[in-house]
Amino acid sequence: MDYPSKFDVIVVGGGHAGTEAALASARAGAATLLVTQSIETLGQMSCNPAIGGIGKSHLVKEIDALGGVMAQAADMAGIHFRVLNSRKGPAVRATRAQSDRQLYRQAIRRFIENQENLQLFQQSVDDLIVEGDQVRGVVTSGGVCFRAASVVLTVGTFLGGIIHVGMQKQPGGRAGDAPSNRLSERLREMPFTVDRLKTGTPPRIDGRTVNYKGLEAQPGDDPRPVMSYLGSRQDHPEQVNCFITHTSAQTHEIIRNGLDRSPLFTGEIDGVGPRYCPSIEDKVVRFADKDSHQIFIEPEGLNSYELYPNGISTSLPFDVQIELVRSIKGFENADITRPGYAIEYDYFEPRDLKSSLETRFIEGLYFAGQINGTTGYEEAAAQGLLAGINAARRSKDLESWCPGRNEAYIGVLVDDLITMGTKEPYRMFTSRAEYRLVLRQDNADRRLTPAGRELGIVNDQRWQRFTEKSELIDKRKDFLNSQWVQPGDDIESYLGQSLNHEYSLSELLRRPKVSVESLLTAVAIDWPDSEVNEQIEIDLKYEGYIKRQLEEVEKINGQHGVIIPESFDYALVGGLSNEVQQKLTTIRPETIGQASRISGVTPAAISLLLIYLKKNSQLRSRQTG
Amino acid sequence: MAADKLKSDFPTADTIAAVATPSGRGGVGVIRVSGPDVTAIAEQIIGGLPPVRKAVYKNFLDKTEIIVDQGLAIFFKAPNSFTGEDVLELQGHGGPVVMDMLLTTVLDAGARQARPGEFSERAFLNDKIDLSQAEAIADLIDSSSQHAARGAMRSLQGEFSNIVKELDNSVVELRMYVEAAIDFPEEEIDFLSDDNLVKKLQETKSVFVRLIQQTKEGALLREGVTLVLAGKPNAGKSSLMNQLSGRQSSIVTAIEGTTRDLVNEHIQIDGIPLNLIDTAGLRAAADEVEEEGVRRALAAVESAEGVLLLIDLAMGDWRQQTLSMLAELPKLESTKVIVVLNKKDLVSAEDDNSGDFPYPLVRISAKNGEGIDELRISIKNTFGMGISEEGVFIARTRHLEALLTAQAHLLDGILQLQENLAGDLLAEELRLCHQKLCEITGEFSSDDLLGEIFSSFCIGK
């Protein structure tokens, strides 16, 4: 049957990509439908119970700055907060929140249910309605046809999902959930390039059977960080400890003895797994000289006794899993509540996407999340948000939007995916960002909230908080610039540094080893909002570097912004080598900048392209008078 | 509309410089500087911009106010210049050494060395050159960048290349360590409190100092036209090599090449510097060592500017031999070939039907020296002097610029670590240092770096 009303945007999937996509689309004013296999599992954390981490909290804060909900949900569900890299400099500082799965799901569901323009429907999607090269809607397993101008697919690991435990394998999208095989078959008929990836999870442990005596406790940080720009510590539920234990030589022996029944080593799994998140059997084989590996014991939630032993992801047979778990200190008598498993799934070559995350082959069809070869809740949510924004904009005939590599980790993520593609599940790292000093988690709001406001996805409350904060930063900076101290002032003894002439307070703050707190104490100023003070300190201390990075941006942006027409024929450009021609034709860069980042495309090739474009557009403009 | 967009999209934010006159020992050499920083550069080198389109006589000063050269400076104001941007021309005494120093001074003052054809490219993009010239400019960029690439490739042989690679490895190792500590803080790699890191940074610094000194002295980069002597075993390659070099009193070096099977001689013919590389015989290899020899010989042919193809007249039909040899050689589109027919003393009066042959042809006897003078003349006519030397010259200036900038970033990084314990800034300086080195050694992506990290550290929860 045809559903009686029509939507602007349909989002398929209710994971981290799907929920942010649906919310962003609805915030942008599009009539949005979210179709999911199960409303109960909206916002489900399928793998480790944590949000954030290096490179990832950067994404979370950017999503937050654009009005997304992941950060707020993490504040409402976070039961253990830490700041990582606190001593390695503000650019690489990150926040992580161990999260109660149930509280997290509840928070996400509340956001969804309170969002205007957003409707929910539970049923799996079996087919897409495609007319010509245009998507028109979806068909559910119950035969309901929903029509919309744009469709966002966020189907995670559900496409052709196969779960492996030892030599046993069964279809599944996540332990306990059916895969979306119909849809997978349907998509395989379309001109997309499909490949397989693999990921895995560890067995879960019954916490009541763990002996904590002698295990190293890892408390959360004090002062406790907050994830959302709108959040506060009052949002946080009760806090608990994590623990650390280690594998032993005996564990490794057990693993080696079980390798003949490991689907990873018997060739049963052909999907490529992530190098940075190897299974324990992989670690034992590849780093044979290490006789112990760290395991982080993470609580699954306040109302659950289950534990997530982070570091022993495995697809070994269940009997080996029991033995290996029990060889670990503290787990001698532990019971497993859910076996660990590996999952193989389809993903689509992300180089077939535009920077809006719309597919190049079917208009109005957007892909976000693991379907694009990424891994991680944060990476998925970031793509979901972007796809949601652009699907909504498309339904209103507005130009698509994507931040640049110099503006956001979201920009780095999308540009990497559509330019280089990926061979393993793609995860964000700060080392992927060449403008890392500019793209900090502390300034995501200043980088993106104004753009979000213009896109219509930042509400009044957030906008007001943002403008107040910005004004406060400016005001306090002006003050520091206008206050001068003299040699001989008391401040010398406070700072433990002597002055040889007069200095403004902001000049003093630029000095190494002078922190904003010590300076404020020295001049007896009591400024609340440590977040604002921290911004001022970072701005001043990093001024030179930030200026240099911004100059670099400016330098390349002129030519890099030149748009290459969508159906450009590279064969017409003389002097391009076959290899370069082929690469450009496959990847179809949208701009000269993107083209220049393709490996093997030389400056000379870029010059030839520019000259050709220049010559040609001149001819075209003459024809049109 | 599209055209307007293109035009307004070309604010060239950086300033380029290059030697504008052909290299050689001419009387006057011109260095052209174009871009937004011309004013600042003029300020530093000649104490300020001269009046527009007026030649003024000036001292050219380097950073330390030492006079590098004296000559005329002319300023062309945008858009009334060759490129459509602000352009400054410095006319000094010609000759590679002076031009080299003056260009280095300009680069020091903030310009970037222009890529081949880049002035014309800017002129075209700024509507200073007629659209009908598009093809010609594209061709110029294409051919000159190929030429520059060959120059760079040649400059990357031997000792220079070895040290740069060593340096590159050190920097990759440093970055790997620092980036792993940043991206995987729970893996117990803490660089901020690690003495080894400081030691490694200092070691890398001293390799930089040594390499830059040697590069400045020109000790590591070969100059001149490189010719490969190729032919079947026993065709007489070594005898010819001896003939060409032996009668010259001007052998500069006679060093064993970088490999056991490539012999490299530096000779001059009427003042033209030539690198002569004798290759292992090209034939089906009998063992692994020989196979490697053949592989290197083929590689040498690929990077050389010319090939002397030696054919043994005693082995029968020389046309047949030549064609089959040419088929075995790598693509020779831009490599010039002279076919040398050896052992004319062993064959009786042969057919002389060689007029229609597509390559210059010389008959010699390497044994008794007959025909060697004709061969010299042929070499001189075919390869001459000129841009080939410029290839290596430009490569050297470019490498030096890259090395100096890379070194400066390394020093800043060490400072950030020691003064401020700023890990993210150390990482940034190492990234910039590595980026500069990659201009010499080739692309290296952030994904390559992650690959290094994952293969060296056991990462992952």
Side-chain angles (χ1 to χ4, degrees), chain B residues 21-30 92-99 385:
Chain B
T21 41
S23 92
R25 294 168 184 91
V28 177
V30 176
H93 297 92
V97 177
V98 176
M99 283 289 106
M385 163 102 168

Side-chain angles (χ1 to χ4, degrees), chain A residues 85 88 96 276 283 286 294 311 430-431 434 436 512 542 545 548-549 558 600 607 614-615 617-618, chain B residues 6 9 121 127 131 135 179 181-183 186 188 420 424 427-429 431-432 443 454 459-461:
Chain A
N85 278 346
K88 289 174 195 151
R96 188 178 54 213
Y276 43 82
K283 285 195 262 191
R286 281 183 48 220
Q294 249 184 153
T430 68
S431 53
E434 61 274 39
R436 181 160 66 186
Y542 280 59
Y545 276 90
R548 189 159 81 184
Q549 290 213 327
S607 294
K614 165 87 179 174
K615 181 183 143 198
S617 47
Q618 201 80 2
Chain B
L6 267 183
D9 264 345
E121 181 188 339
D127 294 311
L131 276 174
E135 298 302 329
E179 294 292 347
I182 286 175
D183 271 339
E186 285 170 320
E188 298 154 341
N420 304 336
D424 51 356
E428 170 71 2
E429 294 293 359
R431 181 182 73 86
L432 293 169
E443 284 181 51
F454 298 136
I459 294 289
K461 298 215 278 190

Side-chain angles (χ1 to χ4, degrees), chain B residues 189-409:
Chain B
I189 318 161
D190 186 8
F191 64 85
L192 292 176
S193 50
D194 192 336
D195 295 340
N196 261 334
L197 178 67
V198 177
K199 207 175 124 216
K200 184 86 199 166
L201 282 166
Q202 297 294 353
E203 277 170 20
T204 310
K205 181 177 132 189
S206 54
V207 180
F208 260 113
V209 172
R210 179 163 55 107
L211 180 59
I212 286 171
Q213 189 53 40
Q214 286 175 309
T215 310
K216 268 187 185 158
E217 289 162 359
L220 298 172
L221 295 178
R222 261 187 255 127
E223 300 197 18
V225 179
T226 299
L227 296 183
V228 165
L229 199 50
K232 297 275 186 212
N234 297 323
K237 292 192 299 298
S238 300
S239 317
L240 174 58
M241 191 104 164
N242 287 337
Q243 283 289 353
L244 278 174
S245 57
R247 260 211 272 162
Q248 301 278 324
S249 53
S250 55
I251 296 175
V252 181
T253 51
I255 43 163
E256 278 288 306
T258 49
T259 71
R260 57 188 286 277
D261 38 41
L262 293 184
V263 180
N264 189 0
E265 297 241 20
H266 200 81
I267 63 168
Q268 288 193 4
I269 294 177
D270 288 354
I272 301 172
L274 288 174
N275 278 304
L276 212 50
I277 299 176
D278 184 10
T279 63
L282 292 168
R283 60 170 170 181
D287 59 36
E288 261 175 54
V289 175
E290 216 171 69
E291 198 177 326
E292 177 63 15
V294 173
R295 200 188 59 75
R296 289 183 184 180
L298 291 175
V301 175
E302 233 171 317
S303 69
E305 286 167 301
V307 177
L308 299 184
L309 190 58
L310 198 61
I311 300 295
D312 187 348
L313 282 170
M315 296 296 288
D317 183 358
W318 61 266
R319 285 171 177 272
Q320 196 57 47
Q321 282 194 64
T322 306
L323 292 177
S324 75
M325 283 287 296
L326 284 173
E328 280 176 42
L329 293 175
K331 54 178 172 151
L332 293 172
E333 287 144 27
S334 48
T335 313
K336 292 174 185 164
V337 178
I338 296 178
V339 177
V340 184
L341 304 177
N342 191 19
K343 306 190 187 174
K344 69 182 278 190
D345 52 315
L346 294 186
V347 288
S348 51
E350 68 279 11
D351 78 297
D352 203 29
N353 184 19
S354 52
D356 57 339
F357 203 66
Y359 297 101
L361 208 61
V362 184
R363 282 164 217 272
I364 62 158
S365 164
K367 201 167 145 202
N368 62 26
E370 237 181 297
I372 295 295
D373 285 337
E374 283 92 326
L375 178 57
R376 281 216 184 81
I377 292 165
S378 177
I379 290 175
K380 208 172 91 183
N381 290 343
T382 311
F383 301 106
M385 163 102 168
I387 46 174
S388 53
E389 198 189 356
E390 204 178 344
V392 174
F393 169 75
I394 287 178
R396 191 179 67 204
T397 322
R398 217 180 272 284
H399 294 335
L400 196 57
E401 185 205 1
L403 288 173
L404 285 167
T405 316
Q407 183 191 34
H409 285 303

